[in-house]
């Protein structure tokens, strides 16, 4: 029986267990996610029980008939408003699953903990004998309290194997990447290393899955397995990324204490605004104060960690495919696109509708957002905007309808086949059309800069059935445009920008 089988580590472990000949019953809240996992790994249907790990009846039902259990599930939110409930659910779930599995004589019972359960600043290199953390970090606290429950059962002779993974990255399990992997993707996307005095322990999710499945052999009693993986300092991090992507990762001279202060500030902001960021007190403390771990001998389980270069190469490719990294951020590792085919919108983080449609954003957005994009565009000499694979942007240079002067406008863009783009006159859902749309109607010839490439284009206003068809394509990339359309009485102008044949770029 498995909990967390639709998550990142759990999904890979479920697939590896089935491939090794085991039968899996998953305790899940979403059967659809389990079905998606089977499709992603080309697995036969997995038996399941619908329920939550905090529900005694659901846990008992899922454990019924099982020989062994793997507890991978955890509920922890970086949103400060959800922390207390997340911690309580994680502890309650671990206690219930482990106690009930032991009461039903399952052997082994595998508890997926974390190095965070043992990490305290100044604790030195971690071992399996370190006490649970007392640092009070949200994620670490949840793991440490669950660790206490697991160790109590071990002391009573329960055949529980506690496993301590580090930051786990790698290809997704269906659509699940895991919190550490998504944080690492956001870190890679910045292209900047904030300090030299930092390091992170990284392991590959595929190796972790192999280890958990290898631990399913019964008869070994209580065990603890440390698997910190590769210790990657910032020089190694920069070199690996440079070798794979061709990008330079400059290092800023920030002291580690400044990063920890920024993490605390981000946590305070997160109590008010639901931001999605790798910057938090826990991650900055681990990044700047990690002293490594004394890993267990994994060769006795037939497991050897693969090269860190392979892990990063596969992870970067997966992050790009999911929209967590843009074409520019993946650099030389980007797969060659087929110019005759239109790109499809990848999955990834998008601005929440409740933020974009809020009254403060609609008032302040038109004053702040375009200026920020223009400033970044100028600072980088046209090489970049605040865009991503899921939310691409371009800079439009149009001719003023009344003044005849060049106007510079940052726009959300939808890439089409043969280098064409769609742009929408959303104007933050205001009641009037934006000025740049009038400029294109008066002077269709314009220029765009998209990710550093300047291209002359001709704009064409779409109408009728053609507009309706292209509108569906546009909102596939920017779903918020449908909500903008709903809150304004005007029809949002939709233009197609087509490269001018024979035009020159730079």
């Amino acid at each position: 029986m498995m909990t967390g089988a639709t998550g990142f580590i759990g999904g890979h472990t479920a697939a590896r267990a089935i491939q090794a000949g085991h039968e899996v019953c998953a305790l899940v809240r979403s059967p659809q996610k389990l079905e998606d996992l089977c499709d992603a790994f080309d697995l036969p249907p997995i038996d399941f029980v619908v329920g939550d790990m905090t529900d005694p009846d659901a846990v008992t039902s899922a454990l019924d008939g099982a020989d062994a259990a793997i507890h991978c599930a955890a509920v922890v939110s970086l949103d400060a408003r959800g922390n207390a409930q997340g911690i309580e659910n994680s502890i309650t779930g671990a206690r219930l699953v482990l106690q009930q599995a032991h009461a039903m004589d399952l052997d082994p019972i595998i508890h997926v903990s974390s190095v965070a359960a043992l990490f305290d600043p100044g604790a030195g290199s971690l071992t399996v004998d370190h006490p649970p953390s007392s640092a009070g970090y949200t994620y670490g606290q949840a793991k440490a309290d669950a660790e206490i429950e697991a160790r109590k059962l071990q002391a009573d002779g329960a055949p529980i194997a506690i496993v301590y993974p580090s930051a786990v990255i790698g290809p997704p399990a269906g659509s699940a990447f895991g919190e550490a992997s998504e944080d690492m993707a956001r870190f890679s996307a910045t292209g900047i290393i904030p300090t030299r005095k930092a390091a992170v322990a990284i392991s590959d999710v595929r190796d972790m899955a192999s280890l958990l499945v290898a631990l399913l052999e019964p008869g070994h009693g209580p065990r603890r397995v440390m698997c910190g993986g590769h210790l990657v300092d910032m020089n190694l991090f920069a070199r690996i990324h440079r070798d794979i992507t061709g990008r330079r990762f400059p290092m800023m001279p920030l002291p580690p204490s400044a990063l920890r202060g920024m993490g605390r500030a981000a946590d305070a902001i997160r109590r008010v605004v639901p931001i999605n960021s790798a910057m938090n007190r826990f991650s900055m403390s681990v990044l700047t104060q990690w002293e490594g771990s004394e890993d267990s001998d994994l060769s006795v389980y037939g497991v050897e960690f693969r090269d860190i270069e392979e892990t990063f190469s596969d992870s970067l490719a997966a992050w790009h495919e999911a929209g967590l990294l843009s074409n520019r951020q993946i650099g030389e590792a980007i797969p060659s696109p087929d110019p005759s085919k239109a790109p499809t919108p990848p999955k990834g983080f998008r601005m929440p509708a409740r933020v974009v449609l809020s009254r403060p954003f609609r008032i302040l957005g038109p004053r702040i957002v375009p200026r920020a994009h223009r400033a970044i565009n100028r600072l980088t000499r046209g090489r970049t905007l605040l865009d991503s694979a899921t939310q691409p942007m371009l800079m439009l240079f149009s001719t003023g309808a009344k003044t005849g002067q060049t106007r510079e406008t940052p726009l959300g863009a939808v890439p089409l086949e043969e280098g064409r783009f769609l742009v929408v006159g959303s104007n933050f859902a205001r009641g009037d059309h934006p000025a740049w749309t009038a400029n294109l109607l008066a002077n269709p010839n314009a220029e765009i800069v998209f990710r550093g490439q300047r291209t002359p284009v001709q704009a064409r206003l779409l109408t009728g059935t053609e507009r309706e068809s292209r509108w569906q394509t546009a909102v596939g990339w920017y779903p918020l445009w449908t909500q903008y359309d709903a809150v304004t009485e005007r029809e949002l102008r939709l233009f197609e920008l087509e490269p001018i044949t024979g035009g020159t770029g730079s």
Side-chain angles (χ1 to χ4, degrees), residues 179-355:
E179 187 174 282
S181 189
E182 290 181 355
D183 282 351
M184 190 68 67
R186 285 189 284 267
F187 186 32
S188 297
T190 65
I192 297 174
I193 293 176
T195 182
R196 286 185 180 274
K197 298 178 180 180
V200 59
I202 295 174
S203 53
D204 193 295
V205 67
R206 295 164 292 189
D207 299 331
M208 190 57 54
S210 295
L211 172 62
L212 295 177
V213 172
L215 287 169
L216 285 173
E217 183 178 340
H220 292 276
R223 291 173 287 174
R224 298 177 195 163
V225 183
M226 179 69 69
C227 41
H230 300 277
L231 184 62
V232 179
D233 63 21
M234 294 300 98
N235 288 317
L236 178 58
F237 183 93
R239 181 187 66 75
I240 291 173
H241 278 69
R242 184 174 62 248
D243 290 346
I244 296 172
T245 68
R247 296 170 61 201
R248 291 182 63 252
F249 273 69
M251 295 192 185
M252 297 173 64
L254 283 176
S257 59
L259 286 178
R260 294 192 291 273
M262 293 167 64
R264 288 191 292 271
D267 283 348
I269 295 172
R270 195 175 282 112
R271 289 187 172 87
V272 181
V273 181
I275 59 174
N276 186 16
S277 169
M279 179 67 70
N280 57 77
R281 175 173 170 249
F282 170 71
S283 63
M284 292 302 100
S285 295
V286 173
L287 183 67
T288 59
Q289 296 176 299
W290 180 253
E291 298 182 59
S293 60
E294 297 179 24
D295 284 6
S296 305
D297 181 7
L298 302 187
S299 64
V300 299
Y301 305 111
V303 176
E304 181 178 350
F305 282 119
R306 66 195 68 206
D307 291 339
I308 189 63
E309 289 83 0
E310 178 185 348
T311 295
F312 266 115
S313 180
D314 292 347
S315 297
L316 287 164
W319 296 336
H320 173 259
E321 184 177 356
L324 300 175
L325 297 179
S326 68
N327 290 352
R328 178 183 59 82
Q329 290 161 347
I330 196 71
E332 295 174 359
I334 185 173
S336 300
D338 184 347
S340 65
K341 295 183 179 179
T344 56
K347 297 178 181 179
F349 175 74
R350 300 176 188 272
M351 187 70 75
R354 64 181 181 276
V355 174

Side-chain angles (χ1 to χ4, degrees), residues 361-450:
F361 187 87
R362 290 173 63 187
I363 293 174
L364 298 176
R367 303 175 186 176
I368 298 174
V369 175
R371 293 178 182 177
H373 283 296
R374 292 189 188 104
I376 291 171
N377 188 60
R378 288 166 185 162
L379 285 172
T380 62
R381 297 181 181 179
R383 290 191 298 272
T384 189
L385 289 167
L386 288 175
D387 71 341
S388 68
T390 53
Q391 296 178 304
M393 297 194 68
L394 57 78
M395 188 66 74
L396 172 71
F397 296 88
S398 60
T399 302
K402 296 180 180 179
T403 65
Q405 297 180 352
T406 300
R407 300 301 185 189
E408 181 182 354
T409 311
L411 297 172
V414 176
L416 302 175
E417 64 280 357
E418 307 297 347
R420 292 177 289 183
F421 293 90
L422 295 177
V423 289
V424 174
S426 60
N427 202 21
F428 294 87
R430 291 183 164 189
D432 54 339
H433 295 290
W436 65 265
T437 65
N439 295 344
L440 292 183
L441 290 175
N443 302 288
N445 287 351
E447 285 191 332
I448 62 171
V449 173
F450 182 69

